[in-house]
Structures are given as structure tokens and as C-alpha cells.
Amino acid sequence: MSEQTTTAPVVRHVDDRHRYEILIDDDRAGLTAYRDRDDQRVFFHTEIDDAHAGLGLAAILVEQALADVRASGMRIVPVCPYVAKFLTKHPEFADITDPVTPEVLTWLDARLGR
């Protein structure tokens, strides 16, 4: 039996760590990570801790992160499979979404040292 959440989830942008985090009762429950490439925010990884799985937190996290990207005037590149899948169900972000290209993947690999 899981504990009842006492507060609504909060999403915060942690710019110096290149990610958005979702908090439950001030504890980090998950994150979506990115790197900025000119006017593009390239999302490459999203995770929710096992203790908070199945609560819909990934969707809340990604939706608020993408809304922040829109507000900042940037564009989205969905390398992360979860972000890509989210975008197929949320066409309201199509106007600020760029395709994942081999050039972007090569750039991202270099930025991440892989």
C-alpha cells in the first residue's frame, strides 16, 4: 500500500543541471533532462522514481516542461522516447517541435560525452 500524496506535484526548472524536476512533498519524484542547442531544447531522458510510478507524474512533468519551453521562445527536439510519445498525443506543441536528425544526435552524443 502506497502513502497518500499530501500536496499537488510541483515542477521546477533546474537550469544549472539542465533538467526539470517534479516534486512530491518536497522530494524529487522524477526528472526530464535536456541540453540547449541554439534555440532548441533537446530532451533526451525522462524518468520517474519507482516509488511514484503509475501516478501520471511523467505527463505532468513533460507538459509543464514543454509549456516552459514555449514561454521561453525556444523549440523542442524530442530525442527522449517518452517526450516523443507525449507529443504524438499533444498536437498543441507541434508548432514548436523540430525533428530528431542525425546531426542533432551526433551533437547530443558529443555534449553528453558518449
Side-chain angles (χ1 to χ4, degrees):
M1 197 161 150
S2 63
E3 289 184 26
Q4 188 79 11
T5 301
T6 58
T7 60
V10 174
V11 175
R12 69 178 176 195
H13 185 199
V14 186
D15 191 43
D16 62 328
R17 306 239 11 224
H18 308 284
R19 66 189 188 193
Y20 293 85
E21 298 176 342
I22 190 162
L23 308 174
I24 300 292
D25 298 329
D26 295 323
D27 292 323
R28 191 184 82 203
L31 62 92
T32 187
Y34 67 86
R35 291 295 183 273
D36 287 340
R37 179 178 185 255
D38 300 322
D39 70 337
Q40 296 175 318
R41 185 150 287 169
V42 181
F43 287 91
F44 66 90
H45 178 73
T46 301
E47 66 182 55
I48 298 296
D49 296 340
D50 289 343
H52 301 287
L55 302 176
L57 297 179
I60 295 167
L61 171 62
V62 169
E63 183 172 27
Q64 290 189 29
L66 300 184
D68 184 66
V69 173
R70 178 185 297 285
S72 72
M74 296 183 75
R75 300 187 59 77
I76 300 159
V77 181
V79 173
C80 169
Y82 183 85
V83 175
K85 183 178 178 181
F86 180 91
L87 288 168
T88 66
K89 297 177 181 179
H90 294 271
E92 65 269 25
F93 293 105
D95 63 316
I96 61 166
T97 301
D98 291 339
V100 177
T101 64
E103 179 186 11
V104 167
L105 294 175
T106 299
W107 172 89
L108 182 61
D109 284 346
R111 295 289 293 172
L112 298 177
R114 38 183 201 191

